[in-house]
Amino acid sequence: MPYADLGGNIRLFYTEDGDGPPLLLVHGWGTDSHQWSWHIDALAATHRVIAVDLRGHGYSSVPESGNTPREMAGDLRALLESRGIPQVVAVGHSMGGQVVSILAVEHPELVRGLVAVDPGYGMTDRVARRFPKMIAGLRGEHPHAAAEKIDEWCTNAGTPAVIRRWHKRRLYGMPPHVLVQAFEAMFTAPDAIGVRPASDDYLARRRCPVLSIWADPERASWESGLLKDPASRVVCWEGAGHRLHEERPAEFVDLVEEWLRVQE
């Protein structure tokens, strides 16, 4: 399996499958590219699928600092450059939705389309008030237990046990400093884009077509007002868990492929 040496002691693990237009898959907080195991084979039937472990996650390098969505987006730019890939459709779940949105805003020439899967932005002030306590837990004596508590928000009664178990095990394998750095950078840092109105201001700068898939109808309605390209689309699977693409993989692949056919 290939690695990309990006300089600055950053080495990213990634896989490539299939042939066709490039499709970049970006996982969420506290997980890795195994998150796309339900989808790669189907998507690779028509696309060149690149699934990457972000810095601090999976088999990639774990720097002591800089484990933030903005640095991760910079890594993706360098990865695409190293592979000679001029443009992709970027798919990001949760934190990965932030990462690919930053890539689309800061390097618009690289992203011809974007799929945001229950993305980690658009949080209301009511939700944001809980973040300082969560961060204190991640900085405390039992950071993995705190991360597991946060992760409970990602599931509901319909989430299969195997998905709950896989993500719990993955969280406990994460370096604690990565968990807290990434979480802070998403939601409470000065340049964070995870909470409104910072989300509105930043995401409105995306100019490419966006397919946004939500479990929360309020946030789905909110994002629909930010999308600029007429080919953009917002879908809500109300009642699904945060990892809706893992809970309903066949439906997810069908939806993404249908939207991609229109773009291509």
Side-chain angles (χ1 to χ4, degrees):
M1 297 299 180
Y3 287 83
D5 291 306
L6 306 182
N9 297 319
I10 298 298
R11 190 175 189 235
L12 294 190
F13 173 82
Y14 69 100
T15 59
E16 288 196 40
D17 295 274
D19 191 23
L23 193 63
L24 177 67
L25 305 183
V26 183
H27 61 81
W29 180 76
T31 179
D32 58 40
S33 58
H34 283 92
Q35 189 178 40
W36 303 106
S37 298
W38 287 268
H39 318 96
I40 288 175
D41 287 343
L43 293 170
T46 52
H47 288 81
R48 178 185 179 183
V49 178
I50 303 110
V52 60
D53 287 354
L54 297 169
R55 64 163 65 196
H57 295 71
Y59 301 121
S60 291
S61 299
V62 182
E64 286 302 312
S65 61
N67 295 288
T68 70
R70 290 181 186 273
E71 293 293 339
M72 293 167 184
D75 293 342
L76 295 182
R77 178 202 58 76
L79 172 65
L80 296 176
E81 186 176 90
S82 73
R83 299 296 298 140
I85 301 173
Q87 202 171 50
V88 297
V89 171
V91 183
H93 171 249
S94 192
M95 180 182 74
Q98 271 207 34
V99 174
V100 297
S101 291
I102 292 168
L103 185 68
V105 169
E106 305 300 334
H107 304 283
E109 73 284 356
L110 294 178
V111 182
R112 67 178 184 84
L114 190 154
V115 181
V117 186
D118 216 46
Y121 52 63
M123 302 297 182
T124 63
D125 182 65
R126 177 181 60 83
V127 175
R129 286 197 292 268
R130 307 175 192 173
F131 291 152
K133 184 177 180 180
M134 294 177 183
I135 290 168
L138 293 172
R139 290 192 177 280
E141 294 183 7
H142 305 288
H144 293 109
E148 183 183 1
K149 190 70 175 176
I150 294 170
D151 196 64
E152 290 177 3
W153 170 79
C154 299
T155 64
N156 60 26
T159 303
V162 65
I163 294 177
R164 294 173 182 267
R165 188 176 305 112
W166 189 89
H167 284 282
K168 176 180 177 179
R169 295 183 74 250
R170 188 68 201 89
L171 276 173
Y172 274 85
M174 284 289 299
H177 75 281
V178 174
L179 290 172
V180 70
Q181 286 177 22
F183 196 90
E184 285 183 317
M186 281 192 284
F187 300 120
T188 64
D191 62 350
I193 65 168
V195 178
R196 307 177 202 177
S199 295
D200 305 64
D201 297 339
Y202 193 84
L203 298 170
R205 295 168 57 191
R206 297 176 302 186
R207 299 298 172 182
C208 63
V210 177
L211 170 62
S212 188
I213 311 169
W214 290 94
D216 179 355
E218 189 279 330
R219 290 167 74 198
S221 176
W222 161 79
E223 186 170 24
S224 67
L226 301 176
L227 302 178
K228 304 297 185 183
D229 191 286
S232 294
R233 181 181 177 192
V234 176
V235 175
C236 183
W237 289 352
E238 190 171 359
H242 177 53
R243 300 183 180 103
L244 48 82
H245 60 313
E246 296 177 25
E247 295 177 5
R248 296 160 64 173
E251 289 178 73
F252 174 77
V253 168
D254 287 347
L255 174 60
V256 170
E257 288 186 332
E258 175 193 1
W259 186 75
L260 288 173
R261 282 193 292 272
V262 175
Q263 310 310 310
E264 295 165 359

